[in-house]
Amino acid sequence: MTADPPYTDPTESTEVRIDDLMERMTLEEKVGQLVGMQVGSFINQDRRGKQTNSVPDVEAAIREQYIGTVTPFGTGVSRYNNVAVAGRIANRLQRVAMNETRLGIPLLIPVDAVHGHANIEGSTVFPHNLGMAATWDPDLVERAARVTATEMSATGANQNYSPTADVAREPRWGRTYETYGESTTLVEELVSAEIQGLQGDDLSDSTAVAATVKHYPGSGGPARGEDTARIDVSQATLHRVYLPPFERAIDDGVAALMPAYNAIGNEPAHASKFYLSEMLRDQFGFEGIVCSDWFAVAFLAERYQVAETLRDATELSTDAGLDVASVGGPQHAEDLRSLVESNRLDEGRIEESVRRILGLKFELGLFDDPYVPAELAPETVGSDEHREVAHEAALKSVTLLRNRDDTLPLENPDEVFVTGPNAGSLDNLLSGWTVFGLDSSRGRTVAEGIEHVAGPSTNVAYDPGTVSNLTLQLDEVARNAEQADAAVVVLGEPWYLHEFGPESVIDSDGSFPSRNELQLPENQKELLRTVSETGTPTVLVLVTGRPLVLSDVLEWTDAVLVGFFPGIEGGTAIAELLFGAENPSGRLPISFPRSTGDLPVVHDWLPHPNPIGSQEHPPSYDPLFDFGFGLSYTEFDYESLEVPDRPVSAREETTVEVTVTNVGERRGTETVQLFGQCLLSSVVTPVRELLDFERVTLDSGETATVRFDLPPSAFATTRPDGSRTRDPASFELYVENLSKKLDLQ
């Protein structure tokens, strides 16, 4: 009787199993592991027209080209996003790979689960990342990611194209809501938390999935705010602002990484040996797999023109360090094979990638059991326990920006009028990377949430007032507002993706959402003004994926709440905050500019001279609402900022303590934010940078001492070549209205 090969033996080490399997693989089987394929249909932007892959098409590619990665669901292009179907499709494809190929190598099954497993119907949908960042709560981000991983694995998915580690420096960018905001420190902490939640303590756990950090080395500041446009930054800015979250992810053991579509300067990330090999592998020590963004390889020829043909682009990206072409399909496999056979690519380079891919599959336990129980997904996805985490996230993410004369919370009003295009839409609370046309039974809209929370003693009247760019009967709106004790006007952005489809949800004149304009559209302004002019206390609830310009509408509001696409529980959470069942604790993870012309507006700007005098130069940072800002229904008082009273050495951890007291009348949560500024350096350094933060919940009259333990790297400065060093210098540390000087040696 023939013994089973070592690679199938779970008692053997991963290295032994990889070595044994590699020795058995043909060139065709090796290149197949470097190729992904999707199920579904979209317009392929490499000009080859409409590309549709059915499940039988993919099954054939697995058998014949040994395709190693398949995305059959969990994207906006698949028809198999039903919770009862997804797991069966995953099992079906895994059986083909395991039983109908010579070596039985299982599949990676990645999905886009960027704010929950949201491309699966009935899943738990969390606030988008910008909303999660507004919680300033790494523990909550980790728990949300744990829910996401659990729901993914229940459907047979084992890799997530998340977290997004991009630092948002250009709010006109349509993907701003996918980020954790404008602060490198905040992004770094929350990316780390998400990775821990997705991957857990061990990738072999049945509920763990491989995290994919993206879009390396950064895509959050594209020129003109145009998605995928060049990132034109110096190495100093790249290393100071954009790269630290990726470095942290690598240190945390992230399993996979996705390069940016963008060119850094004039070098496309997917074609860059410098970024994908020298920096990523040699400098940062990344050992995981590099997966292309969709169509990125084709774009090297079709858009960047750094390759003449798709085959040339395949050679260029593979030589640079790409491991998996995420939707390359059989053509990519054929091109790789022919490139090796013609000696244009070394087979050893292919084998490097194969070893990494097989290593991840072994770590995930896929060789031992790649299947999912058929009944698991309906029992797990969207469970009450998971929805509770989404509810907590929505509550903590919504941020109070204005509360004139204590308009909020609403206290036992007899009648509330609710209006606005986002008041009655569940889709618009979730936005992109989510099943569109969500069943209304899945969650409450803001209008429904208000009716639910207000209770039977309050009459809630609802009139949308405006739909898309069409204004409805404003006379009726005015009459409803006049009769109410308070009016809630729910405005902002609709469901959108990238820039900014689908066309059905964009204003018919194409003006909003748009990377050219951050102001509310005229019809929304008209609706808000109509309500305000009745004299009824007017609450603006802004549902958006990025900061909008509110300077011209703020005068028409008595209170403003902002929710960055707050997710499936957003309608209920907003209502609970409006009526005071919960106290707002969200804080802005991104600055709100006064005008589009003021951009860029970031809190950590670099100082510069004022040649004609400070009075003649407008301020460099003068947002309508600052980064980190957020109001509460209570008040907090800061005192006693304590820092070391002696010079701190370069190897020493620095302890900073601050005392904060709840001086208001109700329980509340404050996010204590520690900023620092280098007072003397050989290079220009930011006027302030976020060093650390901590949430603290206090009862009325309660006092707490918050302690920050800062590593030596917190005080490093970035040189023009991107290297970091710490010079003997003085730092000014700031917490709220307090500041203290810290000396370094």
Side-chain angles (χ1 to χ4, degrees):
M1 186 172 69
T2 304
D4 290 336
Y7 79 87
T8 66
D9 184 354
T11 66
E12 292 283 5
S13 70
T14 297
E15 279 304 309
V16 167
R17 299 178 79 177
I18 293 173
D19 288 342
D20 177 65
L21 182 53
M22 289 286 293
E23 289 179 0
R24 301 171 187 272
M25 295 176 74
T26 65
L27 175 61
E28 289 79 4
E29 289 166 330
K30 291 173 185 174
V31 299
Q33 290 301 302
L34 276 61
V35 179
M37 194 171 179
Q38 93 291 344
V39 173
S41 174
F42 41 65
I43 301 300
N44 192 332
Q45 304 205 20
D46 67 359
R47 301 178 192 168
R48 288 181 294 174
K50 197 167 187 177
Q51 178 178 316
T52 301
N53 294 321
S54 67
V55 171
D57 291 335
V58 173
E59 289 175 324
I62 296 170
R63 295 186 192 101
E64 297 166 14
Q65 280 87 25
Y66 311 103
I67 299 296
T69 296
V70 176
T71 303
F73 54 80
T75 71
V77 305
S78 176
R79 53 184 284 195
Y80 299 109
N81 286 341
N82 181 281
V83 67
V85 173
R88 296 203 299 268
I89 295 292
N91 285 344
R92 174 178 167 179
L93 295 173
Q94 290 286 18
R95 287 191 185 96
V96 173
M98 296 292 286
N99 301 328
E100 300 181 36
T101 63
R102 188 175 69 92
L103 296 173
I105 301 174
L107 302 169
L108 287 176
I109 299 182
V111 297
D112 286 312
V114 300
H115 65 137
H117 198 18
N119 276 309
I120 293 291
E121 295 172 4
S123 64
T124 304
V125 185
F126 293 94
H128 261 295
N129 283 353
L130 200 61
M132 295 300 294
T135 72
W136 293 62
D137 191 338
D139 174 71
L140 178 57
V141 170
E142 181 178 337
R143 286 188 284 126
R146 188 88 291 276
V147 168
T148 300
T150 301
E151 296 195 359
M152 282 178 55
S153 58
T155 63
N158 49 45
Q159 181 183 358
N160 192 1
Y161 288 145
S162 190
T164 298
D166 297 315
V167 180
R169 310 297 276 194
E170 171 51 89
R172 292 177 298 178
W173 182 41
R175 302 186 71 172
T176 295
Y177 65 76
E178 296 178 44
T179 78
Y180 286 121
E182 74 178 46
S183 162
T184 301
T185 298
L186 184 59
V187 172
E188 185 178 329
E189 291 299 322
L190 300 186
V191 163
S192 177
E194 184 178 345
I195 291 169
Q196 179 60 43
L198 292 173
Q199 298 191 170
D201 296 328
D202 192 330
L203 278 175
S204 65
D205 185 283
S206 62
T207 62
V209 299
T212 308
V213 67
K214 63 184 185 184
H215 304 87
Y216 170 84
S219 63
R224 305 175 300 280
E226 183 177 358
D227 188 33
T228 76
R230 76 185 188 284
I231 307 294
D232 208 357
V233 297
S234 66
Q235 283 296 311
T237 299
L238 189 68
H239 281 264
R240 178 178 66 86
V241 174
Y242 294 101
L243 283 172
F246 292 98
E247 295 178 71
R248 174 70 173 273
I250 292 167
D251 290 343
D252 289 343
V254 69
L257 176 144
M258 180 180 287
Y261 278 126
N262 313 68
I264 313 304
N266 63 354
E267 186 172 19
H270 278 77
S272 173
K273 184 173 286 189
F274 172 71
Y275 287 114
L276 297 188
S277 293
E278 295 172 22
M279 180 179 285
L280 183 63
R281 302 289 184 187
D282 301 339
Q283 183 177 339
F284 296 158
F286 179 59
E287 297 179 350
I289 66 172
V290 176
C291 307
S292 77
D293 211 331
W294 287 25
F295 303 129
V297 175
F299 284 153
L300 296 178
E302 292 293 331
R303 298 301 299 167
Y304 283 118
Q305 297 176 310
V306 295
E308 186 173 0
T309 66
L310 181 59
R311 184 168 180 260
D312 294 337
T314 298
E315 177 185 10
L316 186 61
S317 59
T318 305
D319 185 61
L322 184 70
D323 293 317
V324 179
S326 298
V327 292
Q331 183 61 55
H332 192 89
E334 174 59 28
D335 286 344
L336 281 174
R337 183 192 60 78
S338 68
L339 286 165
V340 173
E341 291 178 342
S342 63
N343 294 319
R344 287 177 58 179
L345 273 179
D346 185 78
E347 189 169 351
R349 169 66 197 90
I350 302 297
E351 290 175 345
E352 290 175 6
S353 291
V354 176
R355 294 188 70 90
R356 288 192 280 261
I357 295 162
L358 294 178
L360 178 56
K361 292 181 177 183
F362 279 120
E363 287 183 60
L364 287 166
L366 298 179
F367 278 86
D368 307 318
D369 184 10
Y371 306 113
V372 58
E375 71 281 359
L376 186 59
E379 294 176 355
T380 304
V381 173
S383 70
D384 290 344
E385 181 183 1
H386 292 173
R387 290 283 289 254
E388 287 176 6
V389 182
H391 182 236
E392 179 186 349
L395 281 171
K396 290 182 174 179
S397 71
V398 175
T399 305
L400 180 63
L401 299 182
R402 179 178 173 87
N403 196 18
R404 185 168 62 185
D405 299 328
D406 293 328
T407 299
L408 296 178
L410 302 176
E411 296 182 354
N412 303 314
D414 293 326
E415 181 149 351
V416 173
F417 175 52
V418 185
T419 186
N422 283 345
S425 171
L426 188 57
D427 283 324
N428 290 5
L429 292 176
L430 280 57
S431 199
W433 307 102
T434 315
V435 173
F436 184 65
L438 203 65
D439 189 315
S440 60
S441 67
R442 298 295 186 185
R444 294 189 182 99
T445 65
V446 175
E448 292 166 342
I450 289 174
E451 188 169 9
H452 173 75
V453 172
S457 63
T458 299
N459 180 51
V460 178
Y462 166 62
D463 183 331
T466 179
V467 178
S468 187
N469 71 332
L470 176 64
T471 301
L472 303 182
Q473 299 296 324
L474 290 183
D475 289 344
E476 184 66 22
V477 166
R479 280 193 294 271
N480 281 323
E482 287 170 350
Q483 295 170 7
D485 299 303
V488 179
V489 187
V490 192
L491 307 179
E493 299 186 292
W495 193 106
Y496 68 86
L497 189 68
H498 283 256
E499 298 185 308
F500 293 92
E503 291 183 4
S504 60
V505 301
I506 300 176
D507 287 346
S508 62
D509 63 1
S511 65
F512 189 79
S514 165
R515 68 170 178 264
N516 300 318
E517 186 54 72
L518 293 178
Q519 289 182 315
L520 289 169
E522 290 303 318
N523 61 310
Q524 293 194 26
K525 294 180 188 178
E526 185 179 8
L527 178 65
L528 182 61
R529 182 174 60 248
T530 297
V531 172
S532 176
E533 287 177 349
T534 66
T536 298
T538 302
V539 179
L540 168 61
V541 174
L542 190 70
V543 175
T544 180
R546 53 192 166 158
L548 299 180
V549 172
L550 303 177
S551 305
D552 56 344
V553 301
L554 206 58
E555 63 179 303
W556 301 325
T557 69
D558 295 289
V560 179
L561 279 170
V562 60
F564 296 107
F565 295 135
I568 198 70
E569 293 289 330
T572 301
I574 287 170
E576 289 173 333
L577 293 166
L578 288 171
F579 283 86
E582 297 287 343
N583 193 347
S585 63
R587 301 293 182 265
L588 290 181
I590 194 165
S591 305
F592 270 59
R594 293 183 182 274
S595 73
T596 307
D598 288 338
L599 297 176
V601 176
V602 291
H603 71 285
D604 56 345
W605 56 279
L606 298 178
H608 53 81
N610 295 329
I612 60 174
S614 58
Q615 298 302 314
E616 283 72 25
H617 282 264
S620 296
Y621 184 70
D622 185 28
L624 188 62
F625 297 109
D626 286 34
F627 167 80
F629 177 76
L631 299 174
S632 170
Y633 295 152
T634 190
E635 295 182 4
F636 299 93
D637 186 44
Y638 287 82
E639 58 182 317
S640 183
L641 176 62
E642 300 294 336
V643 304
D645 58 3
R646 54 173 179 76
V648 175
S649 73
R651 297 187 183 90
E652 189 178 353
E653 189 177 75
T654 303
T655 298
V656 177
E657 292 184 340
V658 63
T659 302
V660 59
T661 301
N662 182 348
V663 296
E665 298 180 354
R666 61 181 291 170
R667 179 180 174 86
T669 299
E670 173 72 332
T671 298
V672 182
Q673 302 160 358
L674 175 64
F675 292 90
Q677 177 188 15
C678 182
L679 300 179
L680 180 64
S681 175
S682 59
V683 295
V684 180
T685 58
V687 296
R688 62 171 180 157
E689 289 182 284
L690 181 69
L691 300 181
D692 207 346
F693 58 93
E694 186 73 35
R695 285 172 58 94
V696 56
T697 300
L698 301 173
D699 289 325
S700 175
E702 186 179 2
T703 298
T705 298
V706 177
R707 172 173 171 156
F708 299 106
D709 294 317
L710 302 174
S713 59
F715 303 105
T717 55
T718 306
R719 302 294 185 192
D721 63 359
S723 63
R724 299 189 188 101
T725 187
R726 185 176 126 160
D727 296 323
S730 293
F731 262 76
E732 195 77 20
L733 300 183
Y734 306 90
V735 177
E736 195 65 15
N737 58 329
L738 305 175
S739 66
K740 279 284 185 71
K741 188 177 178 182
L742 174 71
D743 291 324
L744 308 178
Q745 67 178 23

